[in-house]
Amino acid sequence: MEISPDLPYARVFEEYADKYDQWFSDNQDVYLEELKRIREAIGDIPSPALEIGVGSGRFAKPLGIGYGVEPSWSLGLMAKGRGIEVIRAIGEAVPVKSSVFRMVAMITVLCFLKKPEETLHEIHRILVHDGILVVAFIEKGGIIAERYLSRPDKGRFLSHARFYDHDEVIYMITGTGFYLTSVDCRLGFCILTFQKSDKV
């Protein structure tokens, strides 16, 4: 599925794909701590699992998530090189059948979604009954958001982001057919897990 990035953040991710991926190597301690917390929140990864906004596959690969949706051609190629089956699409329109995945993850991608509710409805559609949704995000006003916005390596990406606090995210997601199962919000980085409800 061909995507013509027409949003500022989409062009930034395409143009600076190498710098985006390099950040994880240059900031390994932060990256590994985030990865550890996400793994603890999820536990055993059910299969098949999909990450919306898989980027270069830096989270999907070590977490054992086999599929990813990614609009950036350059980042998608990196994820594919890490063994992820990449679907080139956007979260608002995922070209797969309904009730396919047992888990869907969104890791630091919610802030870049133009229409987050549409993406959440798509996730609800493609999850099986009682499927799991994991959402990890940088919280509005937190120390991580403030620190990253002042740095050129992260700021060039996050300057286009719309941040939310955890209450806003919980309200948004529970309003699209999910119920909250766990919360881990520390130091401005939140990991929320939800389960699909068939009552929307």
Side-chain angles (χ1 to χ4, degrees), residues 9-177:
Y9 75 81
R11 292 192 296 271
V12 167
F13 278 104
E14 195 67 48
E15 184 176 355
Y16 295 100
D18 289 337
K19 292 185 182 298
Y20 169 86
D21 188 65
Q22 184 62 37
W23 181 90
F24 295 93
S25 298
D26 294 343
N27 298 271
Q28 198 168 59
D29 290 347
V30 176
Y31 161 54
L32 292 178
E33 177 62 23
E34 291 178 355
L35 185 62
K36 177 185 175 184
R37 287 177 56 192
I38 293 166
R39 186 180 285 115
E40 289 173 350
I42 300 172
D44 294 332
I45 304 291
S47 182
L50 170 81
E51 183 181 353
I52 300 286
V54 70
S56 57
R58 287 284 194 163
F59 287 102
K61 173 65 176 178
L63 290 172
I65 297 173
Y67 297 85
V69 167
E70 176 55 50
S72 166
W73 177 261
S74 299
L75 290 176
L77 284 178
M78 292 179 189
K80 186 176 180 181
R82 291 188 167 104
I84 309 303
E85 187 166 332
V86 178
I87 303 164
R88 192 160 187 245
I90 56 175
E92 293 90 341
V94 183
V96 300
K97 295 179 181 178
S98 299
S99 303
V100 171
F101 294 102
R102 294 180 63 199
M103 189 192 83
V104 172
M106 288 199 299
I107 302 172
T108 62
V109 73
L110 182 65
C111 59
F112 296 111
L113 295 176
K114 185 178 181 182
K115 299 176 181 177
E117 288 85 359
E118 288 188 15
T119 298
L120 292 165
H121 283 298
E122 271 291 85
I123 292 171
H124 192 278
R125 180 184 67 80
I126 65 178
L127 277 172
V128 300
H129 173 71
D130 290 341
I132 299 166
L133 169 60
V134 180
V135 181
F137 60 98
I138 297 168
E139 192 165 23
K140 179 172 68 177
I143 59 172
I144 293 178
E146 298 303 318
R147 182 189 306 154
Y148 284 174
L149 284 169
S150 67
R151 290 171 47 177
D153 56 347
K154 274 289 191 178
R156 67 165 54 94
F157 304 106
L158 295 178
S159 63
H160 302 288
R162 177 185 175 186
F163 295 110
Y164 303 89
D165 64 41
H166 68 274
D167 286 331
E168 289 178 294
V169 175
I170 291 170
Y171 180 80
M172 181 193 307
I173 296 177
T174 55
T176 53

